Amino acid sequence: MPEQESAESRGCTAPGTPGPWAAVFDDERTAAVRALELEFGELFTHVRRLFAENADRLSPGMLPGAYKVFTTIARRGEITLSALAETLHSDKGQISRTVRELEELQLVQRTPDPADGRSSLLSATPDGIRRLDAVRAPRENSLLNALESWHVDDIRELTRLLHALSASEAPD
């Protein structure tokens, strides 16, 4: 029976101990993650600028955070204040103040929650939706245009990887 090759002879070490390539792998991984962080930073800066511009077009002087609250309500259709605060990982009091501002701007309305008489459902007003559509229209196709030269499989792969990252899961 031929002698089996040992883990040591293949350059491997016992489980849990770093192998000879660990330093290179860690350096490459660290460099790759840092480059990704920089690119995310640039992307976030771009998105914050877009939110600020859209917020100001929706209602001059509106802060980007209020715009995010409004777009979340508009996207959800109906949502309770508690669920909204949880979704946005924000303080319920701050979200409540922002919602009052949005109500004053006639962008958001409250209706009684049929499932809980003590609670209200928040929804965008028809005028709020119309105004939001008008604000988004100039940039509506910007992502479509930016990805025009990309192969559809690359777009799907990016979507899959971003989903895995946001879910803190390893990609399949």
Side-chain angles (χ1 to χ4, degrees):
M1 182 167 145
E3 186 176 313
Q4 286 188 322
E5 189 176 316
S6 73
E8 279 184 351
S9 68
R10 290 190 320 266
C12 299
T13 57
T17 57
W21 298 104
V24 172
F25 181 75
D26 285 345
D27 288 345
E28 286 180 28
R29 177 175 295 277
T30 300
V33 169
R34 286 184 180 154
L36 180 61
E37 286 174 343
L38 290 172
E39 290 303 321
F40 272 131
E42 292 297 318
L43 180 61
F44 295 157
T45 298
H46 179 74
V47 169
R48 278 192 301 270
R49 186 175 48 250
L50 289 176
F51 269 43
E53 291 171 3
N54 283 355
D56 197 57
R57 282 199 306 270
L58 185 65
S59 180
M62 177 184 275
L63 297 175
Y67 179 78
K68 177 64 176 169
V69 170
F70 175 59
T71 58
T72 302
I73 294 169
R75 184 178 68 250
R76 290 294 182 98
E78 291 184 327
I79 189 168
T80 64
L81 186 65
S82 295
L84 180 62
E86 186 177 317
T87 297
L88 296 172
H89 304 286
S90 295
D91 174 71
K92 191 174 173 182
Q94 178 61 44
I95 295 295
S96 181
R97 287 185 292 278
T98 302
V99 167
R100 276 195 300 276
E101 292 171 19
L102 295 171
E103 285 179 298
E104 289 171 10
L105 294 169
Q106 300 180 344
L107 298 170
V108 169
Q109 62 191 4
R110 292 178 196 251
T111 55
D113 183 349
D116 181 357
R118 301 165 298 164
S119 184
S120 296
L121 293 173
L122 304 170
S123 61
T125 64
D127 186 52
I129 295 295
R130 182 192 55 74
R131 290 168 60 187
L132 181 59
D133 288 345
V135 162
R136 288 178 166 166
R139 296 196 187 265
E140 192 169 79
N141 292 320
S142 62
L143 187 57
L144 191 60
N145 293 336
L147 297 174
E148 185 175 339
S149 64
W150 286 41
H151 191 277
V152 71
D153 290 338
D154 292 333
I155 297 169
R156 288 184 182 126
E157 179 67 1
L158 177 61
T159 302
R160 185 184 71 79
L161 292 171
L162 286 174
H163 175 77
L165 180 62
S166 68
S168 296
E169 299 171 349
D172 294 327

